[in-house]
């Protein structure tokens, strides 16, 4: 009986440990997003941890291992080229905007603000459509379809601006598309990682950078030096405190907006 009790305790401890490390996903042992530590207003099952990154190859530098992306007006620091953030579990598409942050600006309009792109800026927008399929074992598998998307033209305060069509679900990568590898058809190269759908984490396709370490490092350094205040492009009243990368940040409360 004593041995059975110890065995039960071992199983419970193992499950708790596993739940706290599911975000490592296909990237291996990585703790950038402590899923169990994020204070949420809604039930945990309504949100999911999205895990992404950039493939810098064998590039070894602080700029490549710890760069910054932006989501919902929040800066997220990558760890070992991996970043993660929380979002509603029902989100079916995300946008990747590749642009030098110095070429972006915030245009205010009540009650929302808009992320605008400076004229003639080199930038690219890609849409990631989330698709869930069943494998041979009848298990839910999350896959992503990546396609090029267009920036929108919008009249704001009497002027025409180029804006992101869905800023709420746009992830800003601080590099232009020219710093990423292309295939024979001229399309960006992405690495895909299949992962069983679960309530904790979902992996994203990974763009592959060009194998020119000096150019990529210089671009990342420039992006860091020109980092703008990409404050939340949502009403301040709809923000909450979240813990990302072990740092407390304000995150737009999308689930209740």
């Amino acid at each position: 009986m004593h041995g059975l009790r110890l065995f039960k305790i071992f199983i419970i401890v193992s499950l708790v440990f596993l739940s706290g490390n599911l975000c490592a996903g296909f990237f291996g042992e990585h703790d950038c997003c402590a899923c169990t530590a994020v204070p949420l207003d809604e039930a945990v099952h309504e949100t999911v941890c999205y895990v992404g990154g950039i493939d810098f190859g064998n590039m070894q530098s602080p700029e490549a291992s710890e760069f910054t992306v932006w989501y919902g007006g929040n800066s997220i620091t990558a760890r070992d080229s991996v970043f993660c953030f929380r979002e509603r579990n029902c989100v079916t598409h995300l946008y990747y905007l590749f642009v030098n942050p110095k070429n972006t600006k915030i245009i205010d309009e009540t009650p929302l603000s808009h992320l605008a792109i400076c004229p003639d800026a080199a930038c690219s927008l890609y849409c990631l459509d989330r698709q869930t399929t069943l494998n041979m074992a009848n298990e839910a598998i999350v896959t992503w379809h990546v396609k090029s998307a267009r920036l929108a033209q919008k009249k704001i305060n009497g002027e025409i601006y180029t804006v992101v069509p869905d800023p709420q679900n746009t992830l800003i990568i601080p590099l232009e598309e020219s710093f990423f590898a292309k295939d024979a058809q001229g399309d960006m190269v992405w690495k895909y990682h299949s992962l069983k759908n679960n309530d904790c984490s979902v992996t994203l396709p990974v763009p592959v950078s060009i194998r020119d370490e000096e150019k990529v490092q210089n671009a990342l350094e420039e992006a860091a030096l020109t980092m703008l205040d990409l404050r939340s492009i949502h009403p301040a009243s709809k923000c909450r405190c979240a813990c990302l990368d072990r740092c407390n940040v304000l995150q737009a409360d999308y689930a209740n907006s």
Side-chain angles (χ1 to χ4, degrees):
M1 183 65 69
H2 182 67
L4 180 60
R5 183 180 296 109
L6 289 177
F7 178 74
K8 289 182 178 179
I9 294 175
F10 172 78
I11 293 297
I12 293 173
V13 172
S14 299
L15 289 175
V16 171
F17 176 82
L18 178 62
S19 66
N21 286 277
L22 281 175
C23 273
F26 69 91
F27 287 108
E29 296 300 325
H30 190 80
D31 59 358
C32 72
C33 183
C35 290
T36 58
V38 180
L40 300 172
D41 296 330
E42 67 274 9
V44 173
H45 71 274
E46 294 180 358
T47 65
V48 68
C49 178
Y50 288 89
V51 183
I54 294 179
D55 179 5
F56 288 107
N58 297 322
M59 182 175 172
Q60 300 293 328
S61 73
E63 291 78 20
S65 62
E66 293 192 12
F67 61 97
T68 300
V69 298
W70 292 268
Y71 186 77
N74 304 312
S75 63
I76 304 172
T77 301
R79 301 288 184 236
D80 299 324
S81 302
V82 178
F83 55 83
C84 59
F85 56 94
R86 278 191 175 273
E87 185 44 286
R88 293 169 300 173
N89 196 22
C90 62
V91 170
T92 58
H93 71 271
L94 293 168
Y95 286 96
Y96 269 33
L97 174 64
F98 297 90
V99 63
N100 189 319
K102 72 178 182 181
N103 293 322
T104 64
K105 54 185 176 180
I106 303 297
I107 306 298
D108 292 318
E109 181 190 41
T110 304
L112 299 177
S113 296
H114 299 271
L115 178 65
I117 311 299
C118 297
D120 302 322
C123 62
S124 305
L125 187 68
Y126 284 84
C127 181
L128 281 62
D129 285 321
R130 180 181 174 183
Q131 301 170 345
T132 302
T133 59
L134 297 178
N135 61 11
M136 297 297 293
N138 204 34
E139 298 170 321
I141 301 295
V142 173
T143 58
W144 295 89
H145 175 62
V146 181
K147 61 182 178 182
S148 180
R150 292 184 179 182
L151 293 165
Q153 296 289 325
K154 185 167 184 177
K155 190 173 183 179
I156 304 174
N157 298 329
E159 296 187 31
I160 300 296
Y161 292 95
T162 299
V163 299
V164 175
D166 187 3
Q168 176 172 305
N169 296 317
T170 298
L171 187 77
I172 303 172
I173 307 295
L175 288 172
E176 298 172 5
E177 185 180 351
S178 59
F179 292 102
F180 292 88
K182 302 291 182 65
D183 59 19
Q185 288 71 41
D187 298 323
M188 274 187 61
V189 177
W190 301 76
K191 284 188 175 181
Y192 295 86
H193 304 266
S194 61
L195 182 70
K196 293 180 181 179
N197 191 20
N198 56 62
D199 292 334
C200 182
S201 64
V202 173
T203 58
L204 300 170
V206 178
V208 180
S209 70
I210 60 175
R211 296 301 183 251
D212 190 325
E213 184 171 329
E214 183 176 356
K215 284 187 177 180
V216 174
Q217 181 168 323
N218 289 341
L220 286 172
E221 290 176 353
E222 180 185 359
L225 291 173
T226 59
M227 184 175 66
L228 300 180
D229 177 21
L230 294 175
R231 65 184 182 278
S232 179
I233 46 180
H234 306 280
S237 60
K238 291 186 178 295
C239 287
R240 64 183 174 188
C241 183
C243 178
L244 294 175
D245 293 343
R246 301 174 181 173
C247 298
N248 290 325
V249 298
L250 285 179
Q251 183 178 33
D253 192 0
Y254 305 140
N256 297 321
S257 59

